[in-house]
Amino acid sequence: MLIPYLLPPDSSFRVGGVYGQPNLYAVFLTVSILAFFWKYIHSAHDLSIKKTKIFRFIPLVLVSVVFFLTGSRSGFLSLFFVLIYLLWMVSKGKYLCRDFKKKKEFFKISFFVIFSFFIAQILIFFFSSGALNRALNITGVSIEARFVFWTSAVLMFVDNLITGIGLGNYKFLMNSYGPKSYSLLGFVQYEAMGSSSWAHNEFLQLSCEGGIFVFFILLILLIIFFVKLFKILFTNKTQCSPIFLYSHLWLLPFIIQSMFSWTLRSPPLLFLFFTLLGGLLSQYPLKRIDISPALRGFILCLSVGSLIIIGIFFIQELKIEKFKKQLITSVGLENTFGEFAQLAADPYSEYRVLSGSLNRYARESLKNNDLVMVEKLIPYYERLCELKGMRWYWFDLAHLYLKLNREDESRFAIKQAIHLMPLEQKYWDFLHYLNVLVASRETGRPISSFYPQKVDFSLKEMTGILDD
């Protein structure tokens, strides 16, 4: 962590920045690089000494190096498309055609961005060989996992075409659709059968959550935006104003990277997106909409009601944060169980509390052999598996069942975990242990008699093998 208590911790070599996630940080840095293009080309520079002009590119190089250190492939893709678009406009005389100095400045900036890429690769090479392999690897489980997430979103959309699955419900259905997506795709490694709260594609996720109505709204908005870009590039006979052009380009990284990540699920990036969208809309002629007194009253009531609902949610958020602090500082977890039960009974906080604290309760109760607490936890784990049956939730539940000698239920739980990830060896080991318990009981032999026996593989014991 670069700055304690200010920047989020990041154990990866990839830079996560203030967002704590490389792909999200890459969106912000892409917009920043475009802002450098705007500032350097269209803002006057008054530098008295010519030799110092080169130093004005240092901030650009620093930001660009950090951008490439994020290792965000979707970020690279969005920057590449934006630069290609600008380069195409320059070559077609639609941008900077009458100003050689500004055109020269454009190519200087482009050069320093490319130069920054090589600096980043040198840093990666010298400081982390593992990260170098990660940076050079253009295929792998993470890409295959995205295919699973995307296909799952499409299947959810088809199954719930009219109403959708509801906002925020993708994470609850992902585990049930994951195996279907894997079977449908056919080429994905089973290691890619991960679990995610996001579809890693905002268009697909919003479509499956909102149904066909939301799908058509998003499709129309995207068509309008890209038609505008197409007109700027091919239809307009004269140059458009630079601010009009960049107002469109600043939104492009959000759109491209939201097709591979959860860009618009980050509140800071969402705020930045709507700020830039407001700047874009201000470039078009204003349209006056007259609102009747009745409609004004309805909007006022709706606003007041929304504020009341937000206040209720805010109180719930305070309760959740208070519980988190109690969970961290409390010596005995049983002291916080009452607060846990109250929050788990509230639909707003249920999933967050169950997924964030159950594992700690389970570990503590198993460690202390507290069967009473284990008995209390099982209904909550069953509810968590019902909400979002992730394989590790089923694995924990299998442990709790076994602690209470409920072997049949433990077997069912561990088979659910195996179904979601057959390659996890510890799941098979757990199932094997359950089988050994049954064999021990039916044969009357102690469990230790089923353990692998030590075998001497010395050459003198291998009679008959070397005779030929």
Side-chain angles (χ1 to χ4, degrees), residues 41 106 202 251 327 396 410 421:
I41 295 174
F106 169 81
E202 289 289 355
L251 291 182
L327 197 64
D396 290 349
S410 180
M421 181 49 72

Side-chain angles (χ1 to χ4, degrees), residues 303-322:
S303 301
V304 172
S306 300
L307 287 175
I308 293 174
I309 294 174
I310 291 173
I312 295 172
F313 288 161
F314 178 71
I315 293 173
Q316 286 298 106
E317 290 292 335
L318 291 179
K319 290 181 179 179
I320 294 173
E321 289 302 317
K322 179 183 176 182

Side-chain angles (χ1 to χ4, degrees), residues 40-212:
Y40 287 167
I41 295 174
H42 301 287
S43 297
H45 298 286
D46 186 17
L47 299 176
S48 56
I49 306 176
K50 274 192 173 183
K51 292 182 180 179
T52 62
K53 282 188 177 182
I54 193 68
F55 293 115
R56 73 180 187 275
F57 292 107
I58 291 178
L60 168 67
V61 171
L62 291 176
V63 171
S64 300
V65 168
V66 174
F67 167 78
F68 290 115
L69 289 178
T70 62
S72 173
R73 287 165 289 195
S74 60
F76 298 166
L77 188 65
S78 66
L79 181 62
F80 173 77
F81 275 114
V82 170
L83 293 182
I84 289 297
Y85 184 88
L86 284 173
L87 185 61
W88 187 270
M89 288 197 68
V90 171
S91 65
K92 293 295 181 180
K94 297 294 184 68
Y95 179 52
L96 306 178
C97 64
R98 298 185 182 90
D99 196 325
F100 177 76
K101 288 185 178 180
K102 288 184 177 180
K103 186 181 293 187
K104 182 180 178 182
E105 190 78 358
F106 169 81
F107 285 108
K108 281 183 181 179
I109 299 169
S110 302
F111 167 79
F112 278 106
V113 171
I114 298 173
F115 175 71
S116 302
F117 170 78
F118 289 105
I119 293 179
Q121 296 307 304
I122 292 172
L123 291 174
I124 291 172
F125 179 80
F126 281 105
F127 290 101
S128 175
S129 58
L132 176 64
N133 294 331
R134 163 69 177 81
L136 295 179
N137 185 21
I138 59 173
T139 61
V141 172
S142 63
I143 291 181
E144 293 186 352
R146 279 180 168 83
F147 282 107
V148 174
F149 301 151
W150 297 339
T151 306
S152 298
V154 172
L155 293 177
M156 292 178 199
F157 174 73
V158 172
D159 291 345
N160 305 272
L161 194 61
I162 305 300
T163 60
I165 61 175
L167 293 176
N169 287 333
Y170 177 87
K171 59 179 176 284
F172 299 125
L173 298 177
M174 168 59 208
N175 289 281
S176 60
Y177 278 90
K180 298 178 185 177
S181 303
Y182 168 79
S183 301
L184 184 64
L185 290 171
F187 62 87
V188 177
Q189 301 178 44
Y190 225 106
E191 291 91 337
M193 286 289 295
S195 181
S196 174
S197 297
W198 320 111
H200 289 70
N201 185 305
E202 289 289 355
F203 180 76
L204 292 178
Q205 181 156 352
L206 288 173
S207 297
C208 75
E209 290 178 345
I212 196 167

Side-chain angles (χ1 to χ4, degrees), residues 359-396:
N359 181 259
R360 184 168 181 179
Y361 281 110
R363 282 189 285 109
E364 192 71 19
S365 58
L366 291 174
K367 179 181 177 182
N368 298 331
N369 200 29
D370 189 347
L371 298 183
V372 176
M373 180 60 75
V374 171
E375 186 79 37
K376 291 180 180 178
L377 291 177
I378 283 180
Y380 292 106
Y381 255 109
E382 290 174 340
R383 176 57 178 161
L384 181 58
C385 290
E386 181 183 350
L387 286 173
K388 189 179 183 183
M390 299 172 75
R391 58 184 184 271
W392 43 87
Y393 296 156
W394 285 110
F395 186 54
D396 290 349

Side-chain angles (χ1 to χ4, degrees), residues 344-355:
D346 190 322
Y348 177 78
S349 55
E350 180 184 23
Y351 172 70
R352 289 167 61 188
V353 171
L354 291 178
S355 61

